[in-house]
Amino acid sequence: MSKIFYIMGKSSSGKDTIYKKVLEKLPKLKTIILYTTRPIREGETDGVEYFFVDEERLEEMQEEERVIEVRSYNTTCGVWTYFTADDGQINLEKYDYLVIGTLESYREMKEYFGEDKLFPIYIEVEDGLRLERALKRERNQTKPKYAEMCRRFLADAEDFSEENLKNAGIKYRFDNTNLEKCLSDVTKCIEEYRLYLPQKL
């Protein structure tokens, strides 16, 4: 039985870095590239971090009933939408996947594929350190968006509340104060779990 290992965490928790490094260590894991209507950031590549599309394309895919889950955020830069599509990327008959997303998208994916197909991995960092990391990252942008950074930081407190984590059934939590240790712990968890999965076709 294949699994979707689902990495999530608050902004600037280092989940993107963990995601990329786990893929380097476990190359047999397949990926699912999400879609977004937000502008592409410096250093990002279309089709790598996300498929960058407009609202018209999203509406087309919704009409075709190809959208698995969708969520929109009213940011200081406008409304940004993120979604996962049933576009041929996912084959749970043969492969395990590594995905990165939000708690909300995790719940929707779990409802779509079934709870037994999802394995949640929550990355966490103490809020003060996380804010320092967020500020450092934003300063490196050509046009820093500090207001949006603050909005995300405050929204995370509500989105990833202990009550919401409990209700979503999040059991596997990894502290990312030390990147190498966190990466080792996450990788080991996935490897050990996959040993108990039935042999793929």
Side-chain angles (χ1 to χ4, degrees):
M1 178 171 57
S2 297
K3 285 283 184 181
I4 298 174
F5 295 94
Y6 208 95
I7 293 179
M8 68 192 89
K10 297 176 180 178
S11 59
S12 298
S13 61
K15 59 185 181 295
D16 295 271
T17 300
I18 293 294
Y19 170 77
K20 292 175 181 177
K21 289 187 176 293
V22 168
L23 285 176
E24 291 175 1
K25 289 180 174 293
L26 303 176
K28 289 187 178 181
L29 291 175
K30 301 294 184 180
T31 61
I32 302 171
I33 301 173
L34 306 184
Y35 292 72
T36 183
T37 62
R38 75 157 169 78
I40 190 170
R41 293 174 182 162
E42 291 179 47
E44 292 182 327
T45 303
D46 185 34
V48 177
E49 287 81 9
Y50 295 96
F51 289 118
F52 295 91
V53 298
D54 55 21
E55 290 289 343
E56 182 178 354
R57 180 57 181 148
L58 168 58
E59 291 176 4
E60 290 176 355
M61 297 182 79
Q62 286 177 317
E63 290 175 359
E64 296 167 356
E65 298 184 347
R66 296 171 60 194
V67 175
I68 296 173
E69 59 85 22
V70 59
R71 54 261 196 289
S72 297
Y73 303 96
N74 188 16
T75 77
T76 58
C77 304
V79 177
W80 290 350
T81 300
Y82 297 80
F83 63 98
T84 307
D86 189 354
D87 58 0
Q89 294 185 69
I90 306 168
N91 183 352
L92 287 171
E93 293 296 321
K94 292 186 177 182
Y95 306 112
D96 293 320
Y97 292 83
L98 187 69
V99 173
I100 185 170
T102 67
L103 188 61
E104 179 184 354
S105 63
Y106 165 73
R107 287 193 295 256
E108 295 293 329
M109 291 278 281
K110 185 169 64 172
E111 182 175 342
Y112 186 89
F113 289 107
E115 185 171 4
D116 62 321
K117 297 293 187 181
L118 276 290
F119 187 101
I121 297 172
Y122 181 59
I123 307 298
E124 55 188 356
V125 174
E126 186 273 325
D127 281 347
L129 177 56
R130 191 166 59 83
L131 185 57
E132 288 180 14
R133 292 177 178 179
L135 183 58
K136 181 179 180 180
R137 182 177 69 179
E138 204 61 37
R139 280 176 174 160
N140 289 330
Q141 298 294 315
T142 302
K143 295 181 179 180
K145 297 181 175 64
Y146 296 116
E148 173 57 19
M149 180 198 76
C150 292
R151 184 204 67 79
R152 289 199 309 269
F153 188 86
L154 294 174
D156 282 340
E158 180 177 348
D159 295 343
F160 289 96
S161 68
E162 287 301 318
E163 181 179 1
N164 286 344
L165 291 172
K166 181 180 179 181
N167 290 339
I170 305 303
K171 299 177 182 178
Y172 299 91
R173 302 170 67 151
F174 301 85
D175 179 79
N176 192 21
T177 301
N178 181 291
L179 175 60
E180 291 307 317
K181 183 179 186 308
C182 183
L183 175 61
S184 176
D185 290 344
V186 170
T187 303
K188 182 179 180 180
C189 178
I190 294 174
E191 285 182 314
E192 289 183 348
Y193 192 86
R194 292 181 76 224
L195 288 176
Y196 296 99
L197 295 177
Q199 187 70 33
K200 306 297 183 300
L201 298 176

